[in-house]
Amino acid sequence: MSPTHEAGWAHVEGALRGPGWLRPPADANPLVASLWSSTTHKVDGNLVVGGVSLPDLVANVNTPAYVLDEADLRARARAFRDAFAGYDVYYAGKAFLCTTVARWIAEEGLSLDVCSDGELTVALRAGFDPARIGYHGNTKTEVELMRAVAEGVGRIVVDSFDEIARLERVTASLGRPARVMVRVTAGVEAHTHEYIATAHEDQKFGFSITAGDALEAVRRVVAVPGLELLGLHSHIGSQIFDTSGFEVAARRVLALHAQVGEEVGVTMPELDLGGGFGIAYTTQDDPSDPAQLAIEITKIVEHECRALGIGQPRLSIEPGRAIVGPAMCTVYTVGTVKRVELDGGAARTYVSVDGGMSDNIRTALYDADYSCTIASRNSEAPPTLARVVGKHCEAGDIVVKDEFLPGDVRPGDLLAVPATGAYCRSMASNYNHALRPPVVAVRDGVATTLIRRETVDDLLATDLGAHE
Ligand SMILES: *Cc1c(COP(=O)(O)O)cnc(C)c1O
């Protein structure tokens, strides 16, 4: 746990107050609208998404379940496409991908990023135009590169000298060219509300600009007949709330872009500024909308290009979380409620649900904050500070660290957690042989299962001893 989160905690007259940003509500029933997908509201305490009441949905598909608001996801995709008109907008499929969502992304006019053969397979199975697919990854195998080139993937973002050599062999052996971007590290580490600008980044992705690796990578790509250099690629981090980190990165990357023009004699047609646009998980978060981001990022790039005296490359961005994150919520059933006495006379209410770190690892992995609400009734009980935990054999198996819930929260209640669309189902595991939950799309009162719940047979399918 980070000290900044713990610092605001205090015991007040035996009651736990929680982190400083979390305000005790007078009434824990109403939704904080900014945290939920656009069609979400409550009717008599029942959460309704896409015109479907969650208690009704759960009666059919059980819990835990991810509920995807189709209209909301499409609107967010469209908002990026429209705000960033003149750019290419690549949806980062690693946030969440299935064939249906890949089709929606295509219908909304976006391109798609993948970073594994599995993600590429889903995209191609969905009929996604390979020319509009970008392929990422710091260690793509020869088999993966073969497939990507053979399928005609639109751009491969190279990340190491080994990969450039590998791609040379692949394109030569297939007799097919590949379009390439060079992933660079701009020395900007963006984290939520701050960024750190350094000369070097101590991480696995990209070629360092300052060490000269990025320029060398460009030279090597240019020297390979089968590779067409599209441009530079920079991705500075995730859950970023302002454009100051992008500004520093763009300045450094465009300086290299200009240097390539002068020293290598190649005018690269494109430039990718990556993704990482933040969303609201709790009331702490105040994300910019795509229109505002577009205005600021475009201004930064125009300004730098003018200062460098170069033409503006075609730009692309790669939002993942900002498109799918707010469009989904997870619904659980409360299994047990336990009041745990703490030192100093305070007590914490532990609310255990029927999922946990197997369907949302972000709290354990990133110390992420989430919010939640009871989705199946209203309550008159005064709010109490609760911690929502999962069913796994791990003390760190926390879903929501701190939230005020009605004090009479009890077994059988449905609990919904907003903003679980990104990096939850896509990072889900079978820990404790959990069955990964379904993803159910809702729209205009109709629920459609996009990914069904796993079954015990799915689990046993790979356990060869089970078939002896
Ligand atoms: C993860 C990733 C993204 C998407 O990040 P979000 O925070 O989901 O917007 C975009 N580009 C690259 C290269 C990434 O690795």
Side-chain angles (χ1 to χ4, degrees):
M1 299 250 182
S2 74
T4 48
H5 285 97
E6 298 288 338
W9 293 15
H11 297 174
V12 181
E13 293 165 11
L16 217 51
R17 201 201 283 167
W21 56 265
L22 186 63
R23 300 269 168 269
D27 177 354
N29 292 298
L31 296 178
V32 178
S34 58
L35 308 181
W36 296 86
S37 71
S38 56
T39 70
T40 307
H41 60 283
K42 279 188 173 180
V43 177
D44 299 331
N46 295 322
L47 200 66
V48 178
V49 187
V52 175
S53 179
L54 293 202
D56 294 344
L57 180 138
V58 161
N60 288 321
V61 304
N62 212 338
T63 55
Y66 302 100
V67 180
L68 170 56
D69 185 337
E70 177 182 348
D72 185 90
L73 183 147
R74 285 181 181 272
R76 287 176 202 277
R78 264 198 308 277
F80 270 100
R81 186 202 61 199
D82 293 347
F84 286 88
Y87 287 56
D88 292 308
V89 179
Y90 284 74
Y91 169 66
K94 72 179 201 265
F96 174 75
L97 193 65
C98 64
T99 50
T100 306
V101 165
R103 288 186 194 113
W104 294 349
I105 290 296
E107 285 164 14
E108 299 303 339
L110 274 61
S111 300
L112 179 67
D113 271 342
V114 300
C115 55
S116 70
D117 197 53
E119 289 178 5
L120 178 62
T121 300
V122 171
L124 295 175
R125 186 66 71 87
F128 210 97
D129 177 4
R132 286 176 48 203
I133 295 177
Y135 204 126
H136 280 281
N138 63 302
T139 175
K140 308 174 195 76
T141 64
E142 192 139 340
V143 169
E144 285 178 311
L145 291 172
M146 279 278 186
R147 174 112 190 274
V149 174
E151 296 284 358
V153 159
R155 64 189 206 183
I156 296 172
V157 183
V158 297
D159 194 282
S160 67
F161 293 120
D162 293 320
E163 186 184 356
I164 296 170
R166 202 171 289 159
L167 202 49
E168 177 172 11
R169 289 196 298 275
V170 164
T171 50
S173 78
L174 290 174
R176 284 192 70 149
R179 289 149 66 89
V180 163
M181 299 195 93
V182 172
R183 170 82 178 258
V184 304
T185 48
V188 179
E189 289 177 58
H191 305 282
T192 309
H193 297 285
E194 297 117 44
Y195 72 90
I196 308 162
T198 56
H200 304 284
E201 275 182 46
D202 188 4
Q203 52 117 326
K204 68 178 184 173
F205 293 110
F207 293 96
S208 164
I209 295 179
T210 40
D213 293 348
L215 186 60
E216 174 60 19
V218 164
R219 289 188 195 278
R220 291 200 198 175
V221 168
V222 168
V224 177
L227 302 186
E228 179 190 346
L229 178 63
L230 293 178
L232 303 176
H233 184 290
S234 158
H235 171 73
I236 59 172
S238 253
Q239 188 62 352
I240 304 166
F241 285 98
D242 67 33
T243 52
S244 52
F246 288 99
E247 182 162 5
V248 177
R251 197 175 302 139
R252 293 176 176 181
V253 175
L254 280 164
L256 176 62
H257 180 98
Q259 191 184 4
V260 168
E262 279 175 21
E263 295 180 19
V264 187
V266 173
T267 304
M268 296 180 287
E270 297 186 22
L271 175 70
D272 192 297
L273 293 171
F277 311 110
I279 65 166
Y281 287 101
T282 68
T283 52
Q284 298 170 95
D285 305 324
D286 186 17
S288 306
D289 64 20
Q292 192 60 33
L293 290 169
I295 288 168
E296 290 175 19
I297 290 175
T298 302
K299 194 157 53 173
I300 290 165
V301 172
E302 280 173 359
H303 178 268
E304 284 307 311
C305 286
R306 229 183 358 260
L308 290 162
I310 58 173
Q312 209 179 290
R314 182 172 177 86
L315 299 170
S316 48
I317 54 160
E318 303 175 328
R321 184 193 316 268
I323 289 175
V324 74
M328 261 195 247
C329 66
T330 308
V331 57
Y332 301 97
T333 302
V334 173
T336 60
V337 178
K338 191 186 283 184
R339 230 175 122 74
V340 176
E341 303 292 331
L342 308 177
D343 292 341
R348 193 190 299 285
T349 302
Y350 278 86
V351 176
S352 296
V353 296
D354 53 354
M357 63 193 292
S358 57
D359 58 75
N360 185 352
I361 191 68
R362 291 192 66 261
T363 307
L365 188 58
Y366 305 121
D367 195 26
D369 290 305
Y370 280 93
S371 160
C372 64
T373 193
I374 291 184
S376 51
R377 67 182 172 97
N378 275 322
S379 167
E380 301 297 314
T384 189
L385 187 70
R387 174 162 293 174
V388 180
V389 296
K391 63 183 281 124
H392 297 286
C393 302
E394 181 78 45
D397 174 27
I398 298 169
V399 180
V400 182
K401 282 184 287 182
D402 300 284
E403 178 61 290
F404 284 95
L405 289 174
D408 63 350
V409 56
R410 59 188 180 233
D413 282 337
L414 297 182
L415 206 69
V417 177
T420 57
Y423 308 107
C424 288
R425 182 57 176 76
S426 69
M427 285 185 163
S429 77
N430 292 118
Y431 182 42
N432 294 142
H433 281 190
L435 304 173
R436 286 180 296 172
V439 176
V440 183
V442 289
R443 177 183 171 174
D444 300 332
V446 178
T448 309
T449 298
L450 304 188
I451 301 178
R452 67 159 168 79
R453 186 182 309 281
E454 283 180 328
T455 63
V456 172
D457 286 342
D458 291 331
L459 288 186
L460 292 180
T462 55
D463 183 342
L464 300 186
H467 305 280
E468 282 170 358

